[in-house]
Coordinates of all heavy atoms in Angstrom, one line a residue:
M18 N -4.4 12.0 16.2 CA -5.5 12.5 15.3 C -5.5 11.8 14.0 O -4.4 11.6 13.4 CB -5.3 14.0 15.1 CG -4.0 14.4 14.4 SD -3.7 16.2 14.4 CE -3.2 16.5 16.1
P19 N -6.6 11.4 13.5 CA -6.6 10.7 12.2 C -6.3 11.6 11.1 O -6.5 12.8 11.2 CB -8.1 10.2 12.1 CG -8.8 10.6 13.4 CD -7.9 11.5 14.1
W20 N -5.8 11.1 10.0 CA -5.6 11.8 8.8 C -5.9 11.0 7.6 O -5.9 9.8 7.7 CB -4.1 12.3 8.8 CG -3.1 11.2 8.8 CD1 -2.8 10.5 9.9 CD2 -2.3 10.7 7.8 NE1 -1.9 9.6 9.6 CE2 -1.5 9.7 8.3 CE3 -2.2 11.1 6.4 CZ2 -0.6 9.0 7.5 CZ3 -1.3 10.4 5.7 CH2 -0.5 9.3 6.2
V21 N -6.1 11.6 6.5 CA -6.5 10.9 5.2 C -5.3 10.7 4.4 O -4.6 11.6 4.0 CB -7.6 11.6 4.5 CG1 -7.9 10.9 3.2 CG2 -8.8 11.8 5.3
K22 N -5.0 9.4 4.0 CA -3.9 9.1 3.2 C -4.4 9.1 1.7 O -5.1 8.2 1.3 CB -3.4 7.7 3.5 CG -2.1 7.3 2.8 CD -1.6 6.0 3.4 CE -0.4 5.5 2.7 NZ 0.1 4.2 3.2
K23 N -4.1 10.2 1.0 CA -4.7 10.4 -0.3 C -4.4 9.3 -1.3 O -5.2 9.0 -2.2 CB -4.3 11.8 -0.8 CG -4.9 12.9 0.0 CD -4.6 14.3 -0.7 CE -5.2 15.4 0.1 NZ -4.9 16.7 -0.5
E24 N -3.2 8.8 -1.2 CA -2.8 7.7 -2.1 C -3.8 6.6 -2.1 O -4.0 5.9 -3.2 CB -1.4 7.2 -1.8 CG -0.3 8.3 -2.0 CD 0.0 8.9 -0.7 OE1 -0.9 9.3 0.1 OE2 1.2 9.0 -0.4
D25 N -4.4 6.3 -1.0 CA -5.2 5.1 -0.9 C -6.7 5.5 -1.0 O -7.6 4.6 -1.2 CB -5.0 4.5 0.5 CG -3.7 3.8 0.6 OD1 -3.0 3.6 -0.5 OD2 -3.2 3.5 1.7
C26 N -7.1 6.7 -0.8 CA -8.5 7.2 -0.8 C -9.0 7.1 -2.3 O -8.4 7.5 -3.2 CB -8.6 8.6 -0.3 SG -10.2 9.3 -0.4
V27 N -10.3 6.6 -2.4 CA -11.0 6.5 -3.7 C -12.1 7.5 -3.7 O -13.0 7.4 -4.6 CB -11.4 5.1 -4.0 CG1 -10.2 4.2 -4.1 CG2 -12.3 4.5 -2.8
K28 N -12.2 8.4 -2.8 CA -13.2 9.4 -2.8 C -14.6 8.9 -2.7 O -15.6 9.5 -3.3 CB -13.1 10.4 -4.0 CG -11.7 11.0 -4.1 CD -11.6 11.9 -5.3 CE -10.2 12.5 -5.5 NZ -10.1 13.4 -6.7
C29 N -14.8 7.8 -2.0 CA -16.2 7.2 -2.0 C -17.1 7.9 -1.0 O -18.3 7.7 -1.0 CB -16.1 5.7 -1.6 SG -15.5 5.5 0.2
K30 N -16.5 8.7 -0.1 CA -17.3 9.6 0.8 C -18.0 8.8 2.0 O -18.8 9.3 2.7 CB -18.4 10.4 0.1 CG -17.8 11.4 -0.9 CD -18.9 12.3 -1.4 CE -18.4 13.3 -2.4 NZ -18.0 12.7 -3.7
I31 N -17.7 7.5 2.1 CA -18.3 6.7 3.1 C -17.9 7.3 4.5 O -18.7 7.4 5.4 CB -17.8 5.2 3.0 CG1 -18.4 4.6 1.8 CG2 -18.1 4.5 4.3 CD1 -18.0 3.2 1.6
C32 N -16.7 7.7 4.6 CA -16.2 8.2 5.9 C -17.0 9.5 6.3 O -17.4 9.6 7.5 CB -14.7 8.6 5.8 SG -14.3 9.7 4.4
V33 N -17.4 10.3 5.3 CA -18.1 11.5 5.6 C -19.5 11.1 6.1 O -20.1 11.7 7.0 CB -18.2 12.4 4.4 CG1 -19.1 13.6 4.6 CG2 -16.8 12.8 4.0
N34 N -20.1 10.1 5.4 CA -21.4 9.7 5.8 C -21.5 9.0 7.1 O -22.6 9.0 7.8 CB -22.0 8.7 4.7 CG -22.2 9.5 3.3 OD1 -22.5 10.7 3.3 ND2 -22.0 8.8 2.2
V35 N -20.5 8.3 7.5 CA -20.6 7.6 8.8 C -20.2 8.4 10.0 O -20.5 8.1 11.2 CB -19.8 6.3 8.8 CG1 -20.2 5.3 7.8 CG2 -18.3 6.6 8.7
C36 N -19.5 9.5 9.8 CA -19.1 10.3 10.9 C -20.3 10.9 11.7 O -21.1 11.6 11.1 CB -18.2 11.5 10.4 SG -17.6 12.5 11.7
P37 N -20.3 10.7 13.0 CA -21.4 11.2 13.8 C -21.3 12.6 14.2 O -22.3 13.2 14.7 CB -21.3 10.3 15.0 CG -19.9 9.9 15.2 CD -19.3 9.9 13.7
V38 N -20.2 13.2 13.9 CA -20.0 14.6 14.3 C -20.0 15.5 13.0 O -19.2 15.3 12.1 CB -18.6 14.8 15.0 CG1 -18.4 16.3 15.4 CG2 -18.4 13.9 16.1
E39 N -21.0 16.4 13.0 CA -21.2 17.2 11.8 C -19.9 18.0 11.5 O -19.4 18.7 12.3 CB -22.4 18.2 12.1 CG -22.8 18.8 10.8 CD -24.1 19.7 11.0 OE1 -24.6 19.7 12.2 OE2 -24.5 20.4 10.1
N40 N -19.5 17.9 10.3 CA -18.4 18.6 9.7 C -17.0 18.2 10.3 O -16.0 18.9 10.0 CB -18.6 20.1 9.9 CG -19.7 20.6 9.0 OD1 -19.9 20.1 7.9 ND2 -20.4 21.6 9.5
A41 N -17.0 17.2 11.1 CA -15.7 16.7 11.6 C -14.8 16.2 10.4 O -13.6 16.3 10.5 CB -15.8 15.7 12.7
I42 N -15.5 15.6 9.4 CA -14.8 15.2 8.2 C -15.6 15.7 7.0 O -16.9 15.5 7.0 CB -14.5 13.7 8.2 CG1 -13.7 13.3 7.0 CG2 -15.8 12.9 8.4 CD1 -13.1 11.9 7.1
F43 N -15.0 16.3 6.1 CA -15.7 16.9 5.0 C -14.9 16.8 3.7 O -13.7 16.6 3.8 CB -16.1 18.3 5.3 CG -14.9 19.2 5.6 CD1 -14.3 19.9 4.6 CD2 -14.5 19.4 6.9 CE1 -13.2 20.7 4.9 CE2 -13.4 20.2 7.2 CZ -12.7 20.8 6.2
I44 N -15.6 16.9 2.6 CA -14.9 16.8 1.3 C -14.3 18.1 0.9 O -15.0 19.1 0.9 CB -15.9 16.3 0.2 CG1 -16.5 14.9 0.6 CG2 -15.2 16.2 -1.1 CD1 -15.4 13.8 0.7
Q45 N -13.0 18.1 0.6 CA -12.4 19.3 0.1 C -12.6 19.6 -1.4 O -13.2 18.7 -2.0 CB -10.9 19.2 0.3 CG -10.4 18.9 1.7 CD -8.9 18.7 1.8 OE1 -8.2 19.6 2.1 NE2 -8.4 17.5 1.4
D46 N -12.1 20.7 -1.9 CA -12.3 21.0 -3.3 C -11.7 19.9 -4.2 O -12.2 19.7 -5.3 CB -11.7 22.3 -3.6 CG -12.4 23.5 -2.9 OD1 -13.6 23.3 -2.5 OD2 -11.9 24.6 -2.8
D47 N -10.6 19.3 -3.7 CA -10.0 18.3 -4.6 C -10.7 16.9 -4.5 O -10.2 16.0 -5.1 CB -8.5 18.2 -4.2 CG -8.3 17.7 -2.8 OD1 -9.3 17.3 -2.1 OD2 -7.1 17.6 -2.4
G48 N -11.7 16.8 -3.7 CA -12.5 15.6 -3.7 C -12.1 14.7 -2.6 O -12.8 13.7 -2.3
Y49 N -11.0 15.0 -1.9 CA -10.6 14.1 -0.8 C -11.2 14.6 0.5 O -11.3 15.8 0.7 CB -9.1 14.1 -0.7 CG -8.4 13.4 -1.8 CD1 -7.7 14.1 -2.8 CD2 -8.3 12.0 -1.9 CE1 -7.1 13.5 -3.9 CE2 -7.7 11.4 -2.9 CZ -7.1 12.1 -3.9 OH -6.4 11.5 -5.0
P50 N -11.4 13.7 1.4 CA -11.9 14.2 2.7 C -10.8 14.8 3.6 O -9.7 14.5 3.4 CB -12.5 12.9 3.3 CG -11.8 11.8 2.6 CD -11.4 12.3 1.3
F51 N -11.3 15.6 4.4 CA -10.3 16.3 5.4 C -10.9 16.2 6.8 O -12.1 16.4 6.9 CB -10.1 17.7 4.9 CG -9.1 18.4 5.8 CD1 -7.8 18.4 5.5 CD2 -9.6 19.2 6.9 CE1 -6.9 19.0 6.3 CE2 -8.7 19.9 7.7 CZ -7.3 19.8 7.4
I52 N -10.1 15.8 7.7 CA -10.6 15.7 9.1 C -10.3 17.0 9.9 O -9.1 17.4 9.9 CB -10.0 14.5 9.8 CG1 -10.5 13.2 9.1 CG2 -10.4 14.5 11.3 CD1 -9.8 11.9 9.5
N53 N -11.3 17.6 10.4 CA -11.1 18.8 11.3 C -10.9 18.3 12.7 O -11.8 17.9 13.4 CB -12.4 19.6 11.2 CG -12.2 20.9 12.1 OD1 -11.3 21.0 12.9 ND2 -13.1 21.8 11.9
N54 N -9.6 18.2 13.0 CA -9.2 17.7 14.3 C -9.7 18.5 15.5 O -9.5 18.1 16.7 CB -7.7 17.4 14.4 CG -7.4 16.1 13.6 OD1 -7.7 15.0 14.2 ND2 -6.9 16.1 12.4
N55 N -10.2 19.7 15.2 CA -10.7 20.5 16.3 C -12.0 20.0 16.9 O -12.3 20.2 18.1 CB -10.8 21.9 15.9 CG -9.5 22.6 15.6 OD1 -8.5 22.3 16.3 ND2 -9.4 23.4 14.6
I56 N -12.7 19.3 16.0 CA -14.0 18.8 16.5 C -14.2 17.3 16.4 O -15.1 16.7 17.0 CB -15.2 19.5 15.7 CG1 -15.0 19.4 14.2 CG2 -15.3 21.0 16.1 CD1 -16.2 20.0 13.4
C57 N -13.3 16.7 15.7 CA -13.3 15.2 15.6 C -13.1 14.6 17.0 O -12.2 15.1 17.8 CB -12.1 14.7 14.7 SG -11.7 13.0 14.9
T58 N -13.9 13.6 17.3 CA -13.9 13.0 18.7 C -13.0 11.8 18.7 O -12.9 11.1 19.8 CB -15.3 12.7 19.1 OG1 -15.8 11.7 18.2 CG2 -16.2 13.9 19.2
R59 N -12.3 11.5 17.6 CA -11.5 10.3 17.6 C -12.3 9.0 17.8 O -11.8 8.1 18.4 CB -10.4 10.3 18.6 CG -9.2 11.2 18.2 CD -9.4 12.6 18.4 NE -8.2 13.4 18.4 CZ -8.2 14.7 18.0 NH1 -9.3 15.2 17.5 NH2 -7.2 15.4 18.1
C60 N -13.5 9.0 17.4 CA -14.4 7.8 17.7 C -13.9 6.6 16.9 O -14.2 5.5 17.2 CB -15.8 8.1 17.4 SG -16.2 8.3 15.6
G61 N -13.2 6.9 15.7 CA -12.7 5.8 15.0 C -13.6 5.2 13.9 O -13.2 4.3 13.2
L62 N -14.8 5.7 13.9 CA -15.8 5.1 13.0 C -15.3 5.2 11.5 O -15.5 4.3 10.7 CB -17.1 5.8 13.2 CG -18.4 5.0 12.8 CD1 -18.4 3.7 13.6 CD2 -19.6 5.8 13.1
C63 N -14.8 6.4 11.1 CA -14.4 6.6 9.7 C -13.3 5.6 9.4 O -13.2 5.0 8.3 CB -14.0 8.0 9.5 SG -12.7 8.6 10.6
M64 N -12.4 5.4 10.3 CA -11.3 4.5 10.1 C -11.8 3.1 9.9 O -11.3 2.3 9.1 CB -10.3 4.5 11.2 CG -9.7 5.9 11.5 SD -8.8 6.0 13.0 CE -7.3 5.3 12.6
E65 N -12.8 2.8 10.7 CA -13.3 1.4 10.7 C -14.1 1.1 9.4 O -14.0 0.1 8.8 CB -14.3 1.3 11.9 CG -14.8 -0.1 12.2 CD -15.8 -0.1 13.3 OE1 -15.4 0.5 14.4 OE2 -16.9 -0.6 13.2
K66 N -14.8 2.1 8.9 CA -15.7 1.9 7.7 C -15.0 2.2 6.4 O -15.5 1.8 5.3 CB -16.9 2.9 7.8 CG -17.8 2.6 9.0 CD -18.4 1.2 8.9 CE -19.3 1.0 10.1 NZ -19.9 -0.4 10.1
C67 N -13.9 2.9 6.4 CA -13.2 3.1 5.1 C -12.8 1.8 4.4 O -12.1 1.0 4.9 CB -12.0 4.0 5.3 SG -11.0 4.2 3.8
P68 N -13.3 1.6 3.2 CA -13.0 0.4 2.4 C -11.6 0.3 2.0 O -11.1 -0.8 1.7 CB -14.0 0.4 1.2 CG -14.2 1.9 1.0 CD -14.2 2.5 2.4
K69 N -10.9 1.4 2.0 CA -9.5 1.4 1.5 C -8.5 1.5 2.7 O -7.3 1.6 2.4 CB -9.3 2.5 0.5 CG -10.2 2.4 -0.7 CD -10.0 1.1 -1.5 CE -8.6 1.2 -2.2 NZ -8.4 0.0 -3.0
N70 N -9.0 1.6 3.9 CA -8.1 1.8 5.0 C -7.3 3.1 4.8 O -6.1 3.1 5.1 CB -7.2 0.6 5.2 CG -6.9 0.4 6.6 OD1 -7.5 0.9 7.5 ND2 -5.8 -0.4 6.9
A71 N -7.9 4.1 4.2 CA -7.1 5.3 3.9 C -7.1 6.3 5.0 O -6.3 7.2 5.0 CB -7.7 5.9 2.7
I72 N -7.9 6.1 6.0 CA -7.8 7.0 7.2 C -6.9 6.3 8.2 O -7.1 5.2 8.7 CB -9.2 7.2 7.8 CG1 -10.1 7.9 6.7 CG2 -9.1 8.2 9.0 CD1 -11.5 8.1 7.1
R73 N -5.8 7.0 8.5 CA -4.7 6.4 9.2 C -4.5 7.1 10.6 O -4.8 8.3 10.7 CB -3.4 6.5 8.4 CG -3.5 6.0 7.0 CD -4.0 4.6 6.9 NE -3.2 3.7 7.7 CZ -3.6 2.5 8.1 NH1 -4.8 2.1 7.7 NH2 -2.9 1.8 8.8
P74 N -4.1 6.4 11.6 CA -3.8 7.0 12.9 C -2.6 7.9 12.8 O -1.8 7.9 11.9 CB -3.6 5.8 13.8 CG -3.2 4.7 12.9 CD -3.9 5.0 11.6
N75 N -2.6 8.7 13.8 CA -1.6 9.8 13.9 C -0.1 9.3 13.7 O 0.7 9.9 13.1 CB -1.8 10.5 15.2 CG -0.9 11.7 15.3 OD1 -0.6 12.4 14.3 ND2 -0.4 12.0 16.5
Y76 N 0.1 8.2 14.4 CA 1.5 7.8 14.4 C 2.1 7.4 13.0 O 3.3 7.2 12.8 CB 1.8 6.6 15.4 CG 1.0 5.4 15.1 CD1 1.3 4.5 14.1 CD2 -0.1 5.0 15.9 CE1 0.6 3.3 13.9 CE2 -0.8 3.9 15.7 CZ -0.5 3.0 14.7 OH -1.2 1.9 14.5
E77 N 1.1 7.3 12.0 CA 1.6 7.0 10.7 C 1.7 8.2 9.8 O 2.1 8.2 8.7 CB 0.6 6.0 10.0 CG 0.7 4.6 10.5 CD -0.2 3.7 9.7 OE1 -0.3 3.9 8.4 OE2 -0.7 2.8 10.2
N78 N 1.4 9.3 10.4 CA 1.4 10.6 9.6 C 2.9 10.9 9.2 O 3.7 11.2 10.1 CB 0.8 11.7 10.5 CG 0.6 12.9 9.6 OD1 1.3 13.2 8.6 ND2 -0.4 13.7 10.0
P79 N 3.2 10.9 7.9 CA 4.5 11.2 7.5 C 5.1 12.6 7.9 O 6.3 12.8 8.0 CB 4.5 11.1 6.0 CG 3.0 11.2 5.6 CD 2.3 10.7 6.8
S80 N 4.2 13.5 8.1 CA 4.6 14.8 8.5 C 5.1 14.9 9.9 O 5.8 15.8 10.3 CB 3.5 15.8 8.3 OG 2.5 15.7 9.3
L81 N 4.8 13.8 10.6 CA 5.3 13.8 12.0 C 6.5 12.9 12.2 O 7.1 12.8 13.3 CB 4.2 13.3 13.0 CG 2.9 14.1 13.0 CD1 1.9 13.5 14.0 CD2 3.3 15.5 13.5
R82 N 6.9 12.3 11.1 CA 8.1 11.5 11.2 C 9.4 12.3 11.5 O 9.4 13.4 11.1 CB 8.2 10.6 9.9 CG 7.3 9.5 9.9 CD 7.3 8.7 8.6 NE 6.3 7.7 8.6 CZ 6.5 6.5 9.1 NH1 7.7 6.1 9.6 NH2 5.6 5.6 9.1
G83 N 10.3 11.6 12.1 CA 11.5 12.3 12.4 C 11.5 13.1 13.7 O 12.4 13.8 14.1
M84 N 10.4 12.9 14.4 CA 10.2 13.6 15.6 C 10.4 12.6 16.8 O 10.0 12.9 17.9 CB 8.9 14.3 15.8 CG 8.7 15.4 14.8 SD 7.0 16.1 14.8 CE 7.0 16.8 16.4
G85 N 10.8 11.4 16.5 CA 11.0 10.5 17.5 C 9.8 9.6 17.7 O 9.9 8.7 18.5
K86 N 8.8 9.9 17.0 CA 7.6 9.0 17.1 C 7.3 8.5 15.7 O 7.7 9.1 14.7 CB 6.4 9.7 17.6 CG 6.3 9.8 19.1 CD 4.9 10.2 19.6 CE 4.0 9.0 19.5 NZ 2.7 9.3 20.0
G87 N 6.6 7.4 15.6 CA 6.1 6.9 14.3 C 7.0 5.9 13.7 O 6.6 5.2 12.8
M88 N 8.2 5.8 14.2 CA 9.1 4.8 13.6 C 8.7 3.5 14.3 O 8.1 3.4 15.4 CB 10.6 5.1 13.9 CG 10.9 6.5 13.4 SD 10.4 6.9 11.7 CE 11.9 6.3 10.8
G89 N 9.1 2.4 13.7 CA 8.8 1.1 14.3 C 7.4 0.6 14.0 O 7.0 -0.4 14.5
H90 N 6.7 1.3 13.1 CA 5.4 0.8 12.7 C 5.4 0.4 11.2 O 4.4 0.6 10.5 CB 4.4 1.9 12.9 CG 4.2 2.2 14.3 ND1 3.4 1.4 15.2 CD2 4.6 3.2 15.1 CE1 3.5 1.9 16.4 NE2 4.2 3.0 16.4
R91 N 6.5 -0.2 10.8 CA 6.6 -0.5 9.4 C 5.8 -1.7 8.9 O 5.8 -2.0 7.8 CB 8.1 -0.6 9.0 CG 8.8 0.7 9.3 CD 10.3 0.6 8.8 NE 10.9 1.9 9.1 CZ 11.0 2.8 8.1 NH1 10.6 2.6 6.9 NH2 11.6 3.9 8.4
G92 N 5.2 -2.4 9.8 CA 4.4 -3.5 9.5 C 3.3 -3.2 8.5 O 2.7 -4.1 7.8
F93 N 2.9 -1.9 8.4 CA 1.8 -1.5 7.5 C 2.3 -1.5 6.0 O 1.6 -1.3 5.1 CB 1.2 -0.2 7.9 CG 0.5 -0.3 9.2 CD1 1.1 0.0 10.4 CD2 -0.8 -0.7 9.1 CE1 0.3 -0.1 11.6 CE2 -1.6 -0.9 10.3 CZ -1.0 -0.6 11.5
G94 N 3.6 -1.5 5.9 CA 4.2 -1.7 4.6 C 4.2 -0.5 3.7 O 4.6 0.6 4.1
R95 N 3.7 -0.7 2.5 CA 3.9 0.1 1.4 C 3.6 1.6 1.6 O 2.7 2.0 2.3 CB 3.1 -0.4 0.2 CG 1.6 -0.2 0.4 CD 0.8 -1.0 -0.6 NE -0.5 -0.5 -0.7 CZ -0.9 0.6 -1.3 NH1 0.0 1.3 -2.0 NH2 -2.2 0.9 -1.3
G96 N 4.3 2.4 0.8 CA 3.9 3.8 0.6 C 3.9 4.6 1.9 O 2.9 4.7 2.6
L97 N 5.0 5.2 2.2 CA 5.1 6.1 3.4 C 4.5 7.5 3.1 O 4.3 8.3 4.0 CB 6.5 6.2 3.9 CG 7.0 4.9 4.4 CD1 8.5 5.1 4.8 CD2 6.2 4.4 5.6
G98 N 4.2 7.7 1.8 CA 3.5 9.0 1.5 C 4.3 10.2 1.5 O 3.8 11.3 1.5
Y99 N 5.6 10.1 1.4 CA 6.4 11.3 1.3 C 6.1 12.1 0.0 O 5.9 11.5 -1.1 CB 7.9 10.9 1.3 CG 8.4 10.6 2.7 CD1 8.6 9.3 3.0 CD2 8.6 11.6 3.6 CE1 9.1 8.9 4.3 CE2 9.0 11.3 4.9 CZ 9.2 10.0 5.2 OH 9.6 9.6 6.5
G100 N 6.0 13.3 0.1 CA 5.7 14.1 -1.1 C 4.2 14.3 -1.3 O 3.8 15.2 -2.0
R101 N 3.4 13.5 -0.7 CA 1.9 13.7 -0.8 C 1.5 14.0 0.6 O 2.2 13.9 1.6 CB 1.2 12.5 -1.3 CG 1.7 12.1 -2.7 CD 1.1 13.0 -3.8 NE -0.4 13.0 -3.7 CZ -1.2 12.2 -4.3 NH1 -0.7 11.2 -5.0 NH2 -2.5 12.3 -4.2
G102 N 0.2 14.3 0.7 CA -0.4 14.5 2.1 C 0.3 15.6 2.8 O 0.4 15.6 4.0
R103 N 0.8 16.6 2.1 CA 1.6 17.6 2.7 C 0.8 18.4 3.7 O -0.3 18.7 3.5 CB 2.2 18.5 1.6 CG 1.1 19.2 0.8 CD 1.6 19.6 -0.5 NE 0.9 19.0 -1.6 CZ -0.4 19.3 -1.9 NH1 -1.0 20.2 -1.2 NH2 -1.0 18.7 -2.9
G104 N 1.5 18.8 4.7 CA 0.9 19.8 5.6 C 0.0 19.1 6.6 O -0.5 19.8 7.5
Y105 N -0.2 17.8 6.5 CA -1.0 17.2 7.5 C -0.5 15.9 7.9 O -0.4 15.0 7.2 CB -2.4 17.0 6.9 CG -3.5 17.2 8.0 CD1 -3.7 18.4 8.5 CD2 -4.1 16.1 8.5 CE1 -4.7 18.6 9.5 CE2 -5.0 16.2 9.5 CZ -5.3 17.5 10.0 OH -6.2 17.7 11.0
Ligands
LIG27 S1 -12.9 9.7 14.1 FE1 -15.1 9.8 14.4 S2 -15.5 12.0 14.7 FE2 -13.4 11.9 13.9 S3 -13.7 12.2 11.6 FE3 -13.7 9.9 12.1 S4 -15.9 9.4 12.3 FE4 -15.7 11.6 12.5
LIG28 S1 -14.1 6.2 3.2 FE1 -11.8 6.0 2.8 S2 -11.7 5.8 0.6 FE2 -13.8 6.6 1.0 S3 -13.6 8.8 0.9 FE3 -13.3 8.3 3.0 S4 -11.0 8.1 3.2 FE4 -11.5 8.0 1.0

């Protein structure tokens, strides 16, 4: 499931505008988009269009690290996001 990496997001809302599924991605009170994975179809359009590459695939989600998945993808480099992006 995709998730929004807040450190990289500039709140441009492009992802919300390109998403073909109503309310699958929406702007939260803090101005950052949030993906409702219950209705998101994983079409990948938001990831493709985000100018900051802030929408990241599941295997990069720091909250899932330490579960035996997600390691070995360090080619993406900087900022693993610990301490931010909590809960998702
Ligand atoms: S992957 Fe597709 S359906 Fe899911 S939030 Fe992004 S644009 Fe919307
Ligand atoms: S397109 Fe990318 S930078 Fe713009 S609001 Fe969406 S996640 Fe943030």
